Amino acid sequence: MRPQFVHAADGEQLELTFVDGVRAIRLVLHYRMVGDVVERWVSVHNDGDDELTLHRHDSAGFVVPRGNTVKYLWGEWNSEFQQSEVVLERGRFTIGSAQGITGHSYSPFLAVDDDGTAYGVQLAWSGSWEMTADVDATGVLRIQAGRVSSSLGTKLAPGETWVSPKAVGACSSEGADGLARVFHDYERALSRSLTPKVLYNSWFATEFDIRAEHQLELARRAASIGVETFVVDDGWFVGRSDDTGGLGDWYVDPAKFPDGLDTFIGQLEDIGLDFGLWVEPESVSPSSELAAKHPEWILRTPGREPVQIRNQLLLDLSRDDVADFIWTTLDRLLSSYQITYLKWDANRPRLDSGEQRRDLDGRVVANLYAILDRLRAEHPDVYVEGCAGGGARVDLGMAARVDTLWPSDNTAPLDRLRIQRGFRTGFAPHLMSSWVTDAVGTHDGRDRSLDFRFHVAMAGVLGIGADLSRWTDDQLATAARHIEQYKGIRDLIANSKVYGLEAGVQYVGTTRSVVFLWQTGDGNVRGTLPTRPRRVPLVQLDPAKNYRVGDEVHPGSYLLQVGVRWDGSTDSNCLVVEALD
């Protein structure tokens, strides 16, 4: 094979074409620079007269110049984005998902950190996937990323072309923190740069017990503290009194909204709130009218009953008629009602095999992406949150098509802080949907203040999920204070450079920084006596300029070397650092 070099007009793209003259196959390796990252993917063209079967579906292999400490993100439901590493002297380390979704267990992200220089690879794919780190006999490390398909492979008829998902590579001389910033910049280039509105979601307050008047009571309380969008979660549609029914029958339940959803939305508008709605369009309840009308739409393994998880089945999204149904359903809802926020959930993995003679995984993800792309094009004013039973579908493929992502169902403050730290290693703050709730810790049950809960949530896209009807006047006043502060800094949080600090995180803008500090009790804040004020040095300030921090003014050199004062009277803090000259 002899490669042919093709340069794009803008000089940012390269294609290497390899031709197998015997089998009449063209293999094209694609490279494209986007800012400081390189996108790589493969296209395979069957130019022959015979059917071609692809048994591997890799996008790219990246040779890492040095280092053998491989960092990765792992987890499970309620514990996503945990950080770990393995020293790989020789051999192979593999992570992935074979469940038709990105998955809770691992994130499609691998990084190598060597003496302050970090290299990382992510895969833009929301189906089954695999990533490997190989160290060969000579000590060279190579990261490979790609899709996983069925054991029968993917069939290419004469004249057909297969295109892999994109693998995205980056490096930074500023270590893992710098690598994260490179990926954040790339993800911002994919986004629409919308200012996130503060939302209230009623799920934790009501679960399936949705009554219009009760929802309106919660909405009034939410509006009084500065919330901007009210989201009705699961349970608004017919047949949905618990998790055993309703999915697929996406019509408003008149028993829950007796005056109609339009009337309810109008009441929200009167108190100054936008309206959002939860959907799970890829799933279907066995008892639903949709399942009875279209049993052929349910994904199954031939000859077996389909597998139920959470009392629900999956629609076969590889079918174009199913994809058309999902799009028509969403378009009907968004065209019929004034909906400005859509929470798209996906609460179960894919365990049924479907028709193995076709590329099920590829068709499912392609149809999912097509619906999301069309949603953005035809309903551009709708802000879309991607959710999957927590963080089971967080990847660059989704980051390019939704406005924010739900990292975890675990909203307890100390648990969530750890989850968000892991999330930020690969994904930008504007993608990190985070709520203040009443949840106690799943893994760390130590009490933390309401201030702490807000500061954790304000470090991403702020939402409220608590039962506001139970909050005291003092709690509501605390919430109003934090929401007001967040509105003044949310654009900076979404668009700034993020730096990890000794006790928190700093978001650095052109003239302002936002600093969040958390006392976790894990010994991550230096200091000897608990009564002694602590100092947390900041980063990325001009040592020759003066900065206002609250009521104090300090030279940048002082804040860089000595730091901001934290007297320990609170378990968290949010500081705005503003240049004065």
Side-chain angles (χ1 to χ4, degrees):
M1 289 187 182
R2 175 173 293 180
Q4 303 170 0
F5 297 85
V6 180
H7 293 266
D10 60 5
E12 300 297 324
Q13 188 163 323
L14 172 69
E15 295 179 357
L16 303 180
T17 301
F18 298 83
V19 178
D20 182 338
V22 176
R23 291 293 306 273
I25 300 169
R26 280 183 298 125
L27 176 69
V28 183
L29 306 183
H30 302 264
Y31 301 76
R32 186 168 79 104
M33 292 301 301
V34 180
D36 290 333
V37 310
V38 58
E39 297 177 338
R40 294 182 57 184
W41 68 100
V42 177
S43 59
V44 180
H45 309 264
N46 184 2
D47 296 332
D49 298 324
D50 300 322
E51 185 179 71
L52 174 68
T53 302
L54 300 180
H55 291 287
R56 285 196 62 88
H57 298 74
D58 292 321
S59 299
F62 294 81
V63 175
V64 178
R66 62 186 189 185
N68 64 348
T69 300
V70 181
K71 297 187 174 184
Y72 61 100
L73 299 170
W74 64 276
E76 57 184 331
W77 176 76
N78 253 18
S79 301
E80 297 90 334
F81 302 104
Q82 306 300 302
Q83 301 177 70
S84 194
E85 62 184 42
V86 59
V87 177
L88 198 62
E89 296 290 347
R90 296 291 186 277
R92 175 175 295 180
F93 175 73
T94 302
I95 58 175
S97 168
Q99 296 185 334
I101 198 167
T102 317
H104 290 98
S105 298
Y106 299 99
S107 178
F109 168 95
L110 286 177
V112 177
D113 197 350
D114 179 77
D115 194 25
T117 300
Y119 308 86
V121 178
Q122 294 198 57
L123 184 67
W125 187 248
S126 307
S128 297
W129 60 277
E130 182 178 274
M131 294 184 73
T132 61
D134 282 284
V135 177
D136 65 17
T138 67
V140 174
L141 190 148
R142 188 170 188 255
I143 295 176
Q144 195 144 320
R147 281 182 47 196
V148 174
S149 190
S150 72
S151 59
L152 297 179
T154 299
K155 309 296 182 181
L156 280 186
E160 286 189 335
T161 296
W162 174 85
V163 181
S164 78
K166 291 176 181 177
V168 178
C171 67
S172 173
S173 61
E174 299 176 341
D177 215 32
L179 179 66
R181 289 189 287 274
V182 175
F183 278 126
H184 294 177
D185 285 343
Y186 173 71
E187 290 150 7
R188 290 189 187 100
L190 303 176
S191 77
R192 299 191 290 172
S193 300
L194 300 178
T195 297
K197 292 188 176 182
V198 179
L199 70 83
Y200 178 80
N201 185 297
S202 61
W203 171 253
F204 287 117
T206 68
E207 296 191 356
F208 295 106
D209 183 21
I210 291 179
R211 290 168 284 116
E213 192 53 46
H214 185 209
Q215 296 285 310
L216 196 59
E217 175 192 337
L218 292 168
R220 292 190 184 100
R221 287 208 151 203
S224 73
I225 61 175
V227 166
E228 297 160 301
T229 300
F230 186 88
V231 180
V232 176
D233 209 277
D234 194 357
W236 57 269
F237 44 101
V238 293
R240 194 66 167 173
S241 58
D242 54 32
D243 68 358
T244 64
L247 293 174
D249 301 337
W250 301 105
Y251 291 91
V252 178
D253 188 342
K256 297 179 178 181
F257 294 93
D259 296 324
L261 189 59
D262 266 333
T263 298
F264 178 75
I265 295 173
Q267 291 170 323
L268 293 182
E269 291 176 346
D270 289 342
I271 59 176
L273 292 174
D274 291 339
F275 175 68
L277 201 62
W278 175 97
V279 292
E280 190 174 357
E282 299 155 81
S283 294
V284 60
S285 298
S287 61
S288 66
E289 291 186 14
L290 181 68
K293 184 178 180 180
H294 288 288
E296 75 280 9
W297 285 5
I298 295 173
L299 182 69
R300 65 183 70 236
T301 299
R304 299 178 182 270
E305 287 298 309
V307 177
Q308 284 192 48
I309 298 178
R310 298 181 82 252
N311 299 308
Q312 63 193 62
L313 303 171
L314 283 178
L315 295 174
D316 185 354
L317 189 49
S318 71
R319 297 174 57 117
D320 290 340
D321 49 2
V322 170
D324 184 64
F325 164 77
I326 292 176
W327 164 252
T328 302
T329 298
L330 295 175
D331 185 52
R332 170 178 55 80
L333 288 169
L334 296 174
S335 300
S336 301
Y337 303 104
Q338 189 61 35
I339 299 169
T340 64
Y341 192 101
L342 192 69
K343 184 178 179 72
W344 182 317
D345 210 344
N347 275 305
R348 55 156 293 178
R350 187 177 72 229
L351 299 184
D352 289 288
S353 65
E355 174 52 68
Q356 288 289 288
R357 288 173 296 179
R358 55 200 228 144
D359 182 13
L360 176 73
D361 196 70
R363 292 184 184 215
V364 167
V365 177
N367 279 338
L368 171 66
Y369 287 170
I371 294 168
L372 287 168
D373 290 342
R374 190 174 179 184
L375 184 63
R376 178 168 287 187
E378 297 192 25
H379 296 280
D381 295 331
V382 177
Y383 190 97
V384 180
E385 176 185 359
C387 176
R393 195 153 66 187
V394 173
D395 56 73
L396 292 182
M398 291 299 290
R401 293 170 171 86
V402 300
D403 299 298
T404 191
L405 291 160
W406 182 241
S408 179
D409 285 344
N410 189 342
T411 58
L414 288 165
D415 294 344
R416 188 56 179 251
L417 184 59
R418 185 174 182 179
I419 290 167
Q420 292 185 180
R421 285 172 179 159
F423 183 95
R424 280 198 304 267
T425 63
F427 301 97
H430 78 275
L431 293 169
M432 191 169 71
S433 177
S434 189
W435 296 356
V436 177
T437 73
D438 301 318
V440 296
T442 303
H443 306 290
D444 191 331
R446 290 176 294 165
D447 287 337
R448 280 297 178 269
S449 69
L450 188 57
D451 294 323
F452 190 104
R453 291 173 182 267
F454 264 96
H455 292 152
V456 171
M458 288 163 62
V461 178
L462 175 62
I464 316 294
D467 186 352
L468 295 183
S469 66
R470 298 178 180 271
W471 276 21
T472 66
D473 290 343
D474 285 345
Q475 287 176 304
L476 294 172
T478 298
R481 173 169 52 84
H482 287 302
I483 290 171
E484 182 180 10
Q485 183 182 30
Y486 175 75
K487 289 177 179 178
I489 60 178
R490 58 184 165 188
D491 285 326
L492 191 153
I493 290 171
N495 299 303
S496 63
K497 300 285 188 181
V498 186
Y499 292 82
L501 300 178
E502 180 186 314
V505 64
Q506 182 177 344
Y507 297 78
V508 179
T510 305
T511 61
R512 293 196 305 163
S513 287
V514 175
V515 178
F516 291 103
L517 302 173
W518 296 286
Q519 173 55 274
T520 64
D522 298 328
N524 68 329
V525 180
R526 291 178 188 170
T528 53
L529 300 176
T531 56
R532 182 177 180 180
R534 291 157 177 163
R535 299 284 180 176
V536 180
L538 304 184
V539 298
Q540 296 297 304
L541 304 180
D542 186 337
K545 290 185 176 181
N546 290 316
Y547 292 84
R548 183 182 304 281
V549 185
D551 296 329
E552 301 178 357
V553 175
H554 296 288
S557 57
Y558 176 89
L559 295 173
L560 290 168
Q561 297 298 320
V562 179
V564 293
R565 183 177 184 272
W566 192 8
D567 63 10
S569 62
T570 60
D571 58 5
S572 70
N573 211 339
C574 174
L575 303 172
V576 177
V577 181
E578 187 169 6
L580 297 181
D581 46 33

